[in-house]
Amino acid sequence: QVQLVESGGGLVQAGDSLRLSCAASGRSFSSYTIGWFRQAPGKEREFVSTISGSTGSTYYANSMKGRFTISRDNAKNSVYLQMNSLKPEDTAIYYCAADISHSYITVGQTRPGTYDYWGQGTQVTVSS
C-alpha cells in the first residue's frame, strides 16, 4: 500500500498564503499521478489540482488557476500545493491522493474515484 501524510494547514486571513505538503511512501512514487482535493463539512469532495507522474504535467480547477501552484520533488517522495490570495471560500479539509494506475492526466484525474490511496487531510481555515 501507499501511505500519504498531509501537513501545512492552519488559520489565516483572506489574502494570505499557505504551503501544503504531501509526503508519500512507495518505491514507484515518481510514476504516480498525485491529486489535491478539498472537502467542507456536509459537502462533496472537490477537485483542486493534479500533477502527473510521467512528465510532471499540471492541471488546476478554474477557481484555483493563477492562485495555486502544484509541484513535486521525487527525490523526497513529496508533492506541494502553494496557495496564494486565499479566500474564505477556500476553507476546507485538503487531501492528497495517489493514482498508481495512471501516470498521465485525463478527465479521470479530476474525479476522486480514480485515486487509489488517500491521506488523512489537513484543515485550512480562511477568515474574512
Side-chain angles (χ1 to χ4, degrees), residues 19 38 61 68 72 76 101 103 105 114:
R19 182 175 181 260
R38 66 187 186 186
F68 293 4
R72 68 191 299 159
K76 297 181 178 179
S101 300
S103 61
I105 297 173
T114 301

Side-chain angles (χ1 to χ4, degrees), residues 10 14 21 27 32 35-37 46 57 62 74 90 103 123-124:
S21 298
R27 61 189 302 173
Y32 303 158
W36 283 99
F37 293 79
E46 177 188 21
S57 179
N62 285 338
N74 290 332
D90 295 319
S103 61
Q123 177 71 49
V124 172

Side-chain angles (χ1 to χ4, degrees), residues 56-125:
S57 179
T58 61
Y59 183 74
Y60 302 88
N62 285 338
S63 62
M64 290 80 174
K65 196 169 187 177
R67 297 192 299 128
F68 293 4
T69 303
I70 190 171
S71 61
R72 68 191 299 159
D73 186 340
N74 290 332
K76 297 181 178 179
N77 272 29
S78 294
V79 171
Y80 308 97
L81 184 69
Q82 178 66 44
M83 309 166 67
N84 298 327
S85 301
L86 284 164
K87 306 173 181 179
E89 51 262 46
D90 295 319
T91 296
I93 300 175
Y94 283 70
Y95 299 90
C96 67
D99 175 2
I100 67 172
S101 300
H102 306 90
S103 61
Y104 49 86
I105 297 173
T106 70
V107 66
Q109 279 61 52
T110 69
R111 299 168 178 165
T114 301
Y115 292 81
D116 304 291
Y117 299 98
W118 293 81
Q120 85 290 348
T122 185
Q123 177 71 49
V124 172
T125 303

